């Protein structure tokens, strides 16, 4: 979600430690996902098939949420696809249960904002940038490697994969 990059930039200007540099603004459909070493062709086909079953979407980001040192902006327009991924892989607990069983689709803006003053500053800074209009056009499968997060493939939303 390149259009959401200014949200992360605003948090970084308040405290660079709150933002994971090198990780662009995005909505995680299911994290943690299947580890790279256990990822099967069936998992990859499932990702491709789900992405093909949802159209590209115009999105409105307007609500800031803060919880446990975490500041995010909800993305309700992607909740249906997030729910579909969670249904496809029911054995995977989103965020290892840290944010309840069904956390809302969101763009993470700041992590480790345990200081209430820092969290309030981030919240105010990103709130001034909202509402934000953007468009989701693809799903990207990323895997954690020894070199960090690496894209495995990108598939457009609403486009069948192959013949």
């Amino acid at each position: 979600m390149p259009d959401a990059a200014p949200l992360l930039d605003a948090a970084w200007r308040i405290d660079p430690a709150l933002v994971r540099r090198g990780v662009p603004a995005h909505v995680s459909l299911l994290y943690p996902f299947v580890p790279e070493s256990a990822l099967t062709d069936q998992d990859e086909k499932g990702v491709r098939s789900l992405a093909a079953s949802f159209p590209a979407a115009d999105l409105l980001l307007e609500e800031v949420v803060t919880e446990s040192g975490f500041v995010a902006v909800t993305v309700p327009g992607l909740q249906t696809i997030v729910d579909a991924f969670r249904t496809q892989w029911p054995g995977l607990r989103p965020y290892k249960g840290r944010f309840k069983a069904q956390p809302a689709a969101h763009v993470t803006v700041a992590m480790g904002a345990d200081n209430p003053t820092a969290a309030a500053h981030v919240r105010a800074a990103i709130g001034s940038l909202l509402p934000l209009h953007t468009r989701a056009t693809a799903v990207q499968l990323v895997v954690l490697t020894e070199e960090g997060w690496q894209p495995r493939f990108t598939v457009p939303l609403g486009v069948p994969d192959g013949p």
Side-chain angles (χ1 to χ4, degrees), residues 67-134:
E67 185 175 328
S68 308
F70 169 84
V71 181
V73 175
T74 61
V75 187
L78 291 181
Q79 193 63 52
T80 303
I81 191 170
V82 167
D83 292 344
F85 271 76
R86 292 175 183 165
T87 298
Q88 180 81 15
W89 287 274
L92 302 178
R93 289 178 39 219
Y95 304 98
K96 299 180 182 178
R98 179 177 175 202
F99 302 108
K100 304 178 189 132
Q102 296 295 326
H106 64 276
V107 173
T108 299
V109 177
M111 294 191 323
D114 299 318
N115 177 325
T117 303
H121 287 310
V122 170
R123 188 178 177 95
I126 64 176
S128 71
L129 300 172
L130 301 176
L132 179 71
H133 297 270
T134 189

Side-chain angles (χ1 to χ4, degrees), residues 2-61:
D3 294 337
L7 302 174
L8 277 63
D9 293 341
W12 184 84
R13 284 191 298 274
I14 290 164
D15 183 348
L18 299 176
V19 179
R20 294 173 295 171
R21 292 314 275 179
V23 177
H26 66 280
V27 174
S28 294
L29 300 177
L30 183 55
Y31 171 83
F33 193 58
V34 178
E36 183 181 29
S37 61
L39 196 62
T40 66
D41 288 344
Q42 191 63 31
D43 292 321
E44 289 190 8
K45 286 177 186 173
V47 170
R48 292 176 187 281
S49 176
L50 276 174
S53 71
F54 288 92
D58 292 317
L59 305 170
L60 176 64
L61 286 65

